[in-house]
Amino acid sequence: MQTVRDGDGETYLLVKRSAESSRVRDPATGEERYIDNDQISVVDGESPLATAASGVPEPVRRTLGAVRDDRSLGLLAVVVDEGPIAAIDLLDAADMCESDLHGTITEFRAAGLVDEAEVAGRRGYEATGVAAEALGLLRGGSADEGAVGERDGD
């Protein structure tokens, strides 16, 4: 597979090339179509796997990079749905030891999914707009359906 671009600047994955035309796949939709060979050019240095991943919304890609398993995904869902939430309340709600919880929250913060927040005078966490959007998309809805509350889009 190769990354190709048409004359309009649209990027595709080259699936199969024949003498006169090529079958290409749109990374955003997965749809395939034929384009004349003289209308596409190979993009050197761009990974076809990175091109394939580009069809997944950025908030989802970022979340997938930070979530290791069902427990960490569940933790993110709790912060999105119930946040902002005090750290002590999150520890009570999670079936994780304190060090695992802290490590997972640190990964979420590094990925831009969770921010520190003050909750009733205590240290706590709240989901960013990126996390809320990603959870909405992963749950099969729109980007606006990720959380109960409204969050900024960072």
Side-chain angles (χ1 to χ4, degrees), residues 1-143:
M1 231 184 286
Q2 291 180 303
T3 299
V4 295
R5 197 164 280 130
D6 69 9
D8 293 331
E10 296 296 320
T11 303
Y12 300 96
L13 290 165
L14 177 64
V15 176
K16 185 176 182 178
R17 185 183 295 264
S18 64
E20 295 178 14
S21 65
S22 293
R23 190 171 77 211
V24 297
R25 180 179 306 128
D26 183 335
T29 64
E31 293 178 14
E32 294 183 2
R33 66 185 184 115
Y34 285 90
I35 298 179
D36 290 339
N37 286 338
D38 62 354
Q39 295 180 5
I40 59 171
S41 60
V42 174
V43 180
D44 290 324
E46 191 166 324
S47 164
L49 295 178
T51 300
S54 71
V56 176
E58 191 279 332
V60 173
R61 290 194 318 266
R62 189 185 309 186
T63 299
L64 291 174
V67 170
R68 298 184 312 265
D69 53 26
D70 285 350
R71 289 174 64 210
S72 60
L73 179 59
L75 179 64
L76 184 61
V78 167
V79 175
V80 168
D81 294 340
E82 298 180 20
I85 185 169
I88 192 75
D89 295 332
L90 194 54
L91 187 58
D92 286 341
D95 63 342
M96 298 174 136
C97 69
E98 187 173 351
S99 64
D100 286 350
L101 177 71
H102 179 70
T104 302
I105 290 290
T106 299
E107 289 181 33
F108 291 167
R109 289 186 62 211
L113 301 174
V114 171
D115 286 328
E116 281 192 12
E118 187 173 311
V119 181
R122 299 170 132 170
R123 183 174 56 93
Y125 302 99
E126 65 182 339
T128 64
V130 171
E133 181 178 353
L135 259 286
L137 292 166
L138 288 169
R139 287 173 167 161
S142 71

